[in-house]
Amino acid sequence: MASEKVFAFTDAQFDADVLKSDIPVVVDFWATWCAPCKAIAPILDQLADEYDGRIKFGKVNVDENPATPGQYGVRGIPTMILFKDGEIVDQLVGAVPKKQVEALLQKAL
C-alpha cells in the first residue's frame, strides 16, 4: 500500500514543491515500466512515514515530466536526489537497500 506521504511532483510544480520546501526533499525519478523503481517504492513509503515532518518524499514520473530529469542530469532510473534549501545534497542511482537510503537522508538532517 502506497503511503499518502509520498507526493507526485511535476515539472510545473517542482520549484514550489521541492526547491522552495522548508524541509529537505527526496525526489525519486521513476517510470511505470521500471521494475527496480517498483522494488524501492515500499522502502520509500516506509521512510516517508518514519521521517514524516522532517523530510518530504516525492516521485517524478520521467515519462510524464521530461524537463525536470533533464535539468538534473538523470540518465538512469530509479534515481533519488536529496534536496535541501533548493540545492542537491547527494543522490543514489538504482534500487538500493533501505540502509543506504537512510544514510542519504542523514546527510540532510
Side-chain angles (χ1 to χ4, degrees):
M1 143 135 197
S3 171
E4 286 155 21
K5 296 179 177 87
V6 178
F7 301 94
F9 297 142
T10 62
D11 286 346
Q13 286 297 113
F14 194 83
D15 200 45
D17 290 342
V18 178
L19 303 181
K20 293 191 168 82
S21 174
D22 51 5
I23 60 172
V25 185
V26 172
V27 181
D28 175 29
F29 292 89
W30 74 291
T32 53
W33 46 263
C34 166
C37 299
K38 290 178 180 161
I40 63 164
I43 294 172
L44 294 178
D45 290 340
Q46 282 177 353
L47 291 170
D49 288 334
E50 290 171 29
Y51 286 85
D52 187 33
R54 295 188 292 154
I55 296 182
K56 180 161 52 167
F57 287 77
K59 297 169 157 300
V60 171
N61 183 319
V62 297
D63 291 332
E64 296 170 5
N65 300 282
T68 305
Q71 192 177 343
Y72 291 102
V74 174
R75 289 181 175 48
I77 54 172
T79 293
M80 283 172 274
I81 301 181
L82 175 63
F83 290 88
K84 184 176 182 178
D85 302 322
E87 300 291 322
I88 294 175
V89 176
D90 205 352
Q91 66 179 32
L92 292 170
V93 179
V96 296
K98 184 178 177 186
K99 279 197 179 335
Q100 215 172 325
V101 181
E102 287 178 306
L104 176 75
L105 302 180
Q106 292 306 318
K107 295 178 181 183
L109 294 174

